[in-house]
Amino acid sequence: MVHHLYSACEFFKYIIVLKTRDRCIMELKRWVDTRTGAFDWGHAAKLYVDIEEKSDQLQDKEEKVRSALQHVMKCNLEKENITDPITLPLADCIISAWLLDVISREQDNYIRYLRKLSSLLKPGGQLILIGDLDLTYFTVGAEKFHGFTYDEDFARKSLEGEGFVIDCCEVKKRTVKSDLLDYKAIIFIAAHKQNLV
Ligand SMILES: C[S@@+](CC[C@H](N)C(=O)[O-])C[C@H]1O[C@@H](n2cnc3c(N)ncnc32)[C@H](O)[C@@H]1O
């Protein structure tokens, strides 16, 4: 998914994308390098310029994202240092979308993963967290996977418990009809990591 990078590159000159699967890393690098046969993310760029009413900037936007995207790196949230053997400098902002919902089994996991994301952030740094509320399953191809089920209260308390201050939290009720997954709403949270005193 690259949709969020179109907005992010308006604010950040250097962006690092972390992915766990080698195939995803390879595909995204092909797109960054405009290689033949790379996945066409044109619809994401078009969506961005349409929302921002900047359709004349379509070409520029693609180039801006590509030049901000410095590295596509491997990560695994199960590891102590999730980008082992590389240690990244602390980030100004982390965007995590639909990741914790999918990889967490229970509340303790979710909080532990959140702590790992926090450890990659500078004090005062921003965390933008997007997820599905009340998800129990999702489907990919013919396979059905477990979703971690949580509500707004749990997300808020988890962030606050890990030393974040929530600046904005919005919940948007589901409008899509599909039995491929069963979430009830999408949650968008912008929070910052408290400075240590
Ligand atoms: C629903 S997708 C979220 C996609 C994400 N927003 C993106 O743009 O790539 C869940 C992602 O979690 C990744 N994942 C699974 N186990 C992981 C782990 N242990 N550490 C980090 N990512 C993991 C999967 O490869 C998958 O891309």
Side-chain angles (χ1 to χ4, degrees):
M1 191 179 88
V2 300
H3 300 65
H4 52 308
L5 303 179
Y6 291 94
S7 303
C9 75
E10 291 297 326
F11 301 92
F12 300 103
K13 266 199 276 179
Y14 307 115
I15 297 174
I16 298 174
V17 173
L18 303 181
K19 295 227 165 258
T20 201
R21 308 259 176 259
D22 292 332
R23 181 65 196 258
C24 297
I25 295 172
M26 189 188 79
E27 285 296 337
L28 191 56
K29 282 186 174 167
R30 278 154 64 101
W31 177 76
V32 175
D33 298 337
T34 53
R35 298 243 292 277
T36 317
F39 185 77
D40 181 6
W41 283 105
H43 61 285
K46 171 121 184 24
L47 182 66
Y48 176 82
V49 296
D50 285 352
I51 291 171
E52 297 288 318
E53 297 180 357
K54 292 176 180 166
S55 48
D56 53 318
Q57 295 176 15
L58 189 64
Q59 191 66 33
D60 295 352
K61 259 334 269 190
E62 290 260 324
E63 277 158 29
K64 198 165 176 177
V65 174
R66 285 192 169 97
S67 72
L69 220 169
Q70 300 268 303
H71 299 288
V72 183
M73 287 177 46
K74 195 166 174 71
C75 83
N76 184 349
L77 261 92
E78 295 301 337
K79 290 190 175 175
E80 187 61 35
N81 166 18
I82 75 167
T83 53
D84 184 58
I86 295 163
T87 303
L88 291 177
L90 295 181
D92 295 307
C93 178
I94 292 178
I95 303 175
S96 171
W98 294 287
L99 173 63
L100 304 189
D101 317 5
V102 167
I103 66 172
S104 306
R105 287 259 135 211
E106 51 207 31
Q107 295 192 344
D108 284 359
N109 288 140
Y110 184 97
I111 292 167
R112 191 162 52 86
Y113 293 137
L114 200 55
R115 195 169 302 150
K116 287 200 180 170
L117 294 183
S118 173
S119 72
L120 301 175
L121 261 185
K122 286 179 185 169
Q126 300 284 327
L127 175 66
I128 296 174
L129 203 56
I130 304 171
D132 287 338
L133 295 183
D134 297 313
L135 176 76
T136 69
Y137 77 89
F138 64 99
T139 319
V140 181
E143 291 208 54
K144 208 168 177 178
F145 295 91
H146 159 89
F148 170 61
T149 313
Y150 65 98
D151 59 12
E152 177 183 348
D153 190 50
F154 170 76
R156 283 178 174 274
K157 285 192 175 135
S158 303
L159 278 158
E160 285 162 1
E162 290 306 313
F164 284 95
V165 176
I166 297 174
D167 301 309
C168 167
C169 176
E170 302 231 350
V171 173
K172 188 175 182 302
K173 275 201 177 148
R174 172 179 176 144
T175 51
V176 175
K177 286 194 173 67
S178 163
D179 56 9
L180 291 175
L181 72 178
D182 67 344
Y183 69 96
K184 301 235 170 36
I186 295 179
I187 187 165
F188 302 86
I189 299 182
H192 68 271
K193 179 172 164 175
Q194 271 177 312
N195 285 303
L196 296 173
V197 277

